């Protein structure tokens, strides 16, 4: 939940007032007469570093050793002392490894191995498959370099395209700033492009095409959409608790991007990927023709992925950082939560109202209301253990599931005993101040300590706490929030003059003092009332005092905005000279690095400082929680949803898009978020449906409930004191939700198949159009998206509208069939692929790609267990040649790891539909029905494995060319053949 509701005036007493940060890239006229980055010290605490990268000349190559696989190891020496924003490191190493035919690993690091590197236990390094001689020859990538000064470039052999090029002569410089969202546009000054490698400042640049098509570099809500603004972007990597701002740093850190170019030589779109494995604070700047990285520590550990297809890049990245975890089938159901279910009875009443309304509910959640004084693992008086346990057991008896929240910080008691704190204190697992005392911040419980995930005893404390909790609450999943980590005070309370017992600083069990007043654009509660209803006395409430602009830029104004060692092997722990205020202040929109989080000088086990590992904090918690699941629920697929993430953690967790807002703009922005995390190999992702902050209304919630039914993670959640937005509140939302959830539950075998493929090969589940279709026209489209390769979703994203225009690719004879009616979409009009859909409220555009075969559940029911027990159906959409194909991966939906799985392969051609199976999982449920779309003459006969199908089992609709065959009762464990003529 959002912590920015809090405004503690007294918190300023804990630390001195935060100074204004002056970026070193402030424009100043220097003695040279040029406009260059300034050298104004940030706080006057550091030596007067030059603040001028134009003085830096980079490094030269001293010696080179070729490896047996075609890679190289080299030594680099500093050419001229620079000291721009730190102390120069004079001796570097370069390692180049051809890991696989599609992946190249280039690592520039300090010879002394004193700079921090992300350990393997946090992100396991990918293994190399290029053993033996000739790896470089077999690779699709080629590494070249110049010796003095050292520069390098990476070329893709297939089209001879230079993908990454650090030669300054090929990179434009910018000595004037350009306007960007937020503060400090001067960060966009790029006066020179040398390689800079200092203890607290690393810089490297690469040439890009002008107006490059860049995707990734997150987590971010980009004002430009899923495609990044390549001429004016500063992406900061510093995990931050903030309510979904636009073009600012936020919860997660994923320094990976994919670039897409049109290749004239290949006559197709060609894609590649670049990943910088570095956990330190960092800015990445995009301007026309250049990308520049500026990190405040670590090393330059690059992975390059050759593609060339976008899905290839996503898969290659996933295989490098870790394939996504296979998810339990129940997690694909509909989830419901709100901050404000203040008792077991409140929560139980909601579950019953959902059932009475006939809205399928798979998972019920609770926010921090269940906690005593907001302390994790202690029960509020309205969540007494016996009653709490009975409620969760009741859910399980109805085949439903339960997830509670766990916030990151642990309450520090002042007048009582808190067993989790005491146990952690006993084993010495809480983060420390530099003097060795416990670091004390403040979050919802009041004063708090923070788990040190690097301490080997922390896992014991964490698992014990969950074990004790599980004796009362048999949770099915866990929600990890506030794990940037968030703190409401700047600095450690133990370093202040305010006694920790003074609860006026941060009152325990804090509750917002007033309800949010914002509604979606155009809804005027003073005129229309506070209900959020679509109509009052039969009149539309939207736009009662004027309508919202359709222009996205204006809409945003309505929102709140190797002989050589490469790794440390001797236990060396880096010490940061200017840990609180680094000489180069990254563009952290919160201000100081310590703002709203743990200070960078806080220490972990062995003296490791938060400065280096801040961006890993959430990931470390997720690893510990995953390990807890494996111990307490062995053999079951863990399920957790976390806020702060780092590269590669999709192998352990799902993610939700944070504390968004109840506006149409944020509904649309959810699409770019889902696309982004599918690129980051965290495919189980979705927003707070209907919005978290502020009041939703009937129209917005109607549209959003249907949209989110086609996102991987599907949860409705809102903030305390906002009006209720459960889908039963409005009749139209209830009906729209039932329709969308029924479609989702029918499609569950398809979802399971997509996630099985993601966990095996890394292919993204949710994809933009250009992942499947070769056209530059699709590169900026994020108002539509594909689920796998076969479903195209086209939602209405504007208020007060009942139609929407979308792009429906028709290359190579592709056409689209309506999911709801099976009618073929007509793309023969003069507008070609631009088609306007009639979608009145309660409807969403969903179309099936021609030539697709989808395994479905035959009859959606209230829960997934009941739906699964009802057996399967097969939907076949024939192309104009009468052909189609598809596959499905089937397992039990819960076992971990997956040892038993069967792949079903379906193929239709020339009036024959066949199935074959391969695998070791026995599919208990039968195939109940088959639907063929695209049969334009009523069949005279139909046979299954040579036996006639009775006419009473067959229904034919000439208008859409559809044949429905009921009562099939086919065994999916054996091959079969259906014929018709």
């Amino acid at each position: 939940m959002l912590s920015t509701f809090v405004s503690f005036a007294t918190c300023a007493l804990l630390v001195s007032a935060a100074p204004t940060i002056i970026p070193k890239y402030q424009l100043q006229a220097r003695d040279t007469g040029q406009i260059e980055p300034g050298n104004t010290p940030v706080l006057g605490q550091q030596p007067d570093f030059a603040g001028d990268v134009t003085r830096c000349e980079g490094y030269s190559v001293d010696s080179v050793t070729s490896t047996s696989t075609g890679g190289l190891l080299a030594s680099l020496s500093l050419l001229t002392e620079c000291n721009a924003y730190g102390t120069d490191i004079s001796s570097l190493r370069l390692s180049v490894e051809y890991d696989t035919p599609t992946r190249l690993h280039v690592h520039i690091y300090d010879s002394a191995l004193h700079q921090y590197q992300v350990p393997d236990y946090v992100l396991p390094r990918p293994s190399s498959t290029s053993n033996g001689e000739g790896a470089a020859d077999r690779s699709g990538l080629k590494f070249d370099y110049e010796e003095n000064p050292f520069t390098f470039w990476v070329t893709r052999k297939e089209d001879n395209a230079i993908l990454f090029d650090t030669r300054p002569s090929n990179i434009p410089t910018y000595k004037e700033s350009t306007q960007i969202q937020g503060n400090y546009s001067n960060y966009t000054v790029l006066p020179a492009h040398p390689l800079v490698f200092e203890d607290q400042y690393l810089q490297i640049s690469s040439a890009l095409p002008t107006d490059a098509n860049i995707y990734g570099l997150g987590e971010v809500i980009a004002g430009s959409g899923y495609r990044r603004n390549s001429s004016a972007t500063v992406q900061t990597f510093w995990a931050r608790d903030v309510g979904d701002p636009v073009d600012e740093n936020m919860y997660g850190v994923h320094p990976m991007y994919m670039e897409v170019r049109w290749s004239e030589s290949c006559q197709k779109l060609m894609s590649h990927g670049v990943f910088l494995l570095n956990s330190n604070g960092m800015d990445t700047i995009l301007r026309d023709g250049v990308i520049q990285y500026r990190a405040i520590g670590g090393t330059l550990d690059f992975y390059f992925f050759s593609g060339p297809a976008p899905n290839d890049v996503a898969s290659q990245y996933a295989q490098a950082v870790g394939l996504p975890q296979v998810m339990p089938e129940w997690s694909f159901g509909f989830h419901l939560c709100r901050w404000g279910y203040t008792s077991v009875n409140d929560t139980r009443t909601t579950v019953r109202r959902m059932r009475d309304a006939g809205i399928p509910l798979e998972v019920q959640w609770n926010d921090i209301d269940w906690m005593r004084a907001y302390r994790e693992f202690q029960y509020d008086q309205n969540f007494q253990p016996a009653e709490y346990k009975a409620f969760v057991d009741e859910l399980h008896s109805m085949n439903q599931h339960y997830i509670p929240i766990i916030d990151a910080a642990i309450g520090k008691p002042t007048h009582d005993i808190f067993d989790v704190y005491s146990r952690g204190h006993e084993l010495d697992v809480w983060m420390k101040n530099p003097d060795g005392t416990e670091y004390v911040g403040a979050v919802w419980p009041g004063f708090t300590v923070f788990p040190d995930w690097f301490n080997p005893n922390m896992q014991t404390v964490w698992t014990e706490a969950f074990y004790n909790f599980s004796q009362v609450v048999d949770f099915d999943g866990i929600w990890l929030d506030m794990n940037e980590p968030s703190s409401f005070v700047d600095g450690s309370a133990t370093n202040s003059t305010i006694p920790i017992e003074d609860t006026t600083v941060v009152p325990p069990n804090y509750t917002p003092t007033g309800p949010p007043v914002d509604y979606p654009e155009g809804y005027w509660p003073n005129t229309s009332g506070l209900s959020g209803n679509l109509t009052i006395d039969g009149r539309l409430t939207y736009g009662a005092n004027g309508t919202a602009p359709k222009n996205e830029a204006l809409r945003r104004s309505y929102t709140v905005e190797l002989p050589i060692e490469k790794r440390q092997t001797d236990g060396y722990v880096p010490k940061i000279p200017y840990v609180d205020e680094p000489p180069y202040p990254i563009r952290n929109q919160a201000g100081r690095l310590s703002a709203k989080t743990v200070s960078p000088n806080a220490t972990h086990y062995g003296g490791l400082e938060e400065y280096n590992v801040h961006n890993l904090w959430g990931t470390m918690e997720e690893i510990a929680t995953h390990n807890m699941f494996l111990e307490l629920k062995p053999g079951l697929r863990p399920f957790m949803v976390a806020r702060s993430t780092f590269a590669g953690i999709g192998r352990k967790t799902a993610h939700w898009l944070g504390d968004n807002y109840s506006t149409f703009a944020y509904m649309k922005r959810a699409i770019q978020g889902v696309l982004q995390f599918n690129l980051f190999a965290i495919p189980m992702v979705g927003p707070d449906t209907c919005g978290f902050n502020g009041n939703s209304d009937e129209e917005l919630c109607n549209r959003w409930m249907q949209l989110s039914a086609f996102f991987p993670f599907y949860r409705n959640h809102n903030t305390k004191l906002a009006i209720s937005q459960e889908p039963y509140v409005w009749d139209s939302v209830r009906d729209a939700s039932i329709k969308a959830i029924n479609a989702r539950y029918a499609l569950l075998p398809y979802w399971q198949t997509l996630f099985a493929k993601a966990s095996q090969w890394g292919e993204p589940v949710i994809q933009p159009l250009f992942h499947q279709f070769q056209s530059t026209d699709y590169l900026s489209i994020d108002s539509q998206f594909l689920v796998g390769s076969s479903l195209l979703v086209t939602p209405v994203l504007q208020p007060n509208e009942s139609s929407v225009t979308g792009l429906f690719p028709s290359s190579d004879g592709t056409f689209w069939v309506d999911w709801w009616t099976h009618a073929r979409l007509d793309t023969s009009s003069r507008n070609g692929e631009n088609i306007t859909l009639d979608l009145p409220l309660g409807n969403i555009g969903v179309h099936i790609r021609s030539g697709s075969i989808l395994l479905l559940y035959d009859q959606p029911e209230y829960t997934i267990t009941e739906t699964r027990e009802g057996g399967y159906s097969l939907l076949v959409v024939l192309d104009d040649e009468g052909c189609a194909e598809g596959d499905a991966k089937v397992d039990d939906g819960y076992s971990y790891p997956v040892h038993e799985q069967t792949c079903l392969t379906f193929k239709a051609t020339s009036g024959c539909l066949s199935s074959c199976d391969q695998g070791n999982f026995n599919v208990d449920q039968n195939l109940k029905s088959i639907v063929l779309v695209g049969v334009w003459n009523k069949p005279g006969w139909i046979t299954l494995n040579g036996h006639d199908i009775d006419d009473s089992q067959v229904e034919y609709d000439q208008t859409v060319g559809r044949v429905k065959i009921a009562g099939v009762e086919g065994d999916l464990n054996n091959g079969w053949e259906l014929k018709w003529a």
Side-chain angles (χ1 to χ4, degrees), residues 5 510-515 721:
F5 279 122
Y510 173 77
T511 301
T513 56
L721 302 183

Side-chain angles (χ1 to χ4, degrees), residues 15-306:
V15 292
S16 60
T20 301
I21 294 180
I22 304 172
K24 289 231 175 180
Y25 272 76
Q26 175 179 332
L27 297 180
Q28 290 189 359
R30 300 178 60 83
D31 295 339
T32 59
Q34 298 175 329
I35 300 296
E36 299 169 349
N39 64 347
T40 305
V42 180
L43 292 177
Q45 297 175 341
Q46 304 93 352
D48 190 8
F49 292 119
D52 182 7
V53 297
T54 64
R55 305 191 335 178
C56 305
E57 296 181 6
Y59 292 76
S60 65
V61 177
D62 285 347
S63 62
V64 180
T65 302
S66 298
T67 67
S68 60
T69 60
L72 62 86
L73 296 166
S75 298
L76 309 180
S77 293
L78 184 69
L79 288 171
T80 303
E81 188 175 276
C82 173
N83 296 327
Y85 296 99
T87 302
D88 290 317
I89 296 177
S90 60
S91 177
L92 303 180
R93 296 285 189 257
L94 165 69
S95 167
V96 179
E97 298 172 283
Y98 291 94
D99 282 356
T100 74
T102 60
R103 184 176 73 233
L104 173 68
H105 183 196
V106 177
H107 191 188
I108 304 171
Y109 54 98
D110 58 309
S111 301
L113 299 177
H114 287 178
Q115 294 289 103
Y116 184 74
Q117 297 182 39
V118 178
D120 278 352
Y121 62 82
V122 178
L123 199 161
R125 294 306 190 278
S127 58
S128 173
T129 62
S130 298
N131 297 321
E133 295 184 11
D137 295 331
R138 292 190 297 272
S139 175
L141 297 170
K142 183 175 183 289
F143 178 88
D144 289 294
Y145 67 97
E146 293 177 344
E147 292 189 348
N148 192 0
F150 166 70
T151 59
F152 73 90
W153 61 100
V154 176
T155 305
R156 181 171 48 212
K157 297 177 184 177
E158 180 178 350
D159 56 348
N160 205 34
I162 297 176
L163 309 181
F164 198 85
D165 186 356
T166 69
R167 291 171 290 187
S169 59
N170 295 335
I171 311 174
T173 58
Y174 292 94
K175 297 180 179 179
E176 294 182 353
S177 65
T178 188
Q179 185 60 46
I180 56 175
Q181 177 81 19
N183 298 323
Y184 304 148
S185 63
N186 291 334
Y187 278 77
T188 63
V189 175
L190 304 172
H193 300 292
L195 170 63
V196 182
F197 204 116
E198 299 169 348
D199 58 350
Q200 289 189 258
Y201 185 74
L202 282 65
Q203 176 180 300
I204 192 168
S205 306
S206 172
L208 288 176
T210 300
D211 199 27
N213 300 297
I214 300 288
Y215 307 88
L217 298 176
E219 180 177 10
V220 67
I221 299 171
S224 60
Y226 179 50
R227 179 181 180 270
R228 303 306 302 271
N229 182 347
S230 63
S231 63
T233 286
V234 177
Q235 179 61 52
T236 299
F237 297 104
W238 186 257
R240 172 183 173 217
D241 169 14
V242 60
D244 284 18
V246 176
D247 289 322
E248 297 179 9
N249 58 308
M250 45 192 298
Y251 317 111
V253 169
H254 300 269
M256 176 269 185
Y257 74 84
M258 177 174 69
E259 186 200 334
V260 184
R261 306 177 188 176
W262 178 260
S263 170
E264 289 295 338
S265 62
C266 298
Q267 284 297 293
K268 63 180 180 179
L269 294 174
M270 302 285 280
S271 304
H272 68 274
V274 179
F275 169 49
L276 175 54
L277 177 50
N278 185 309
S279 65
N280 283 87
M282 180 165 46
D283 287 332
T284 301
I285 294 88
L286 293 172
R287 293 196 70 170
D288 278 332
V290 58
I291 180 170
Q292 185 177 95
Y293 297 89
R294 301 171 185 165
I296 58 174
T299 65
L300 297 172
D301 197 357
F302 282 102
Y303 290 85
F304 300 96
F305 309 101
S306 64

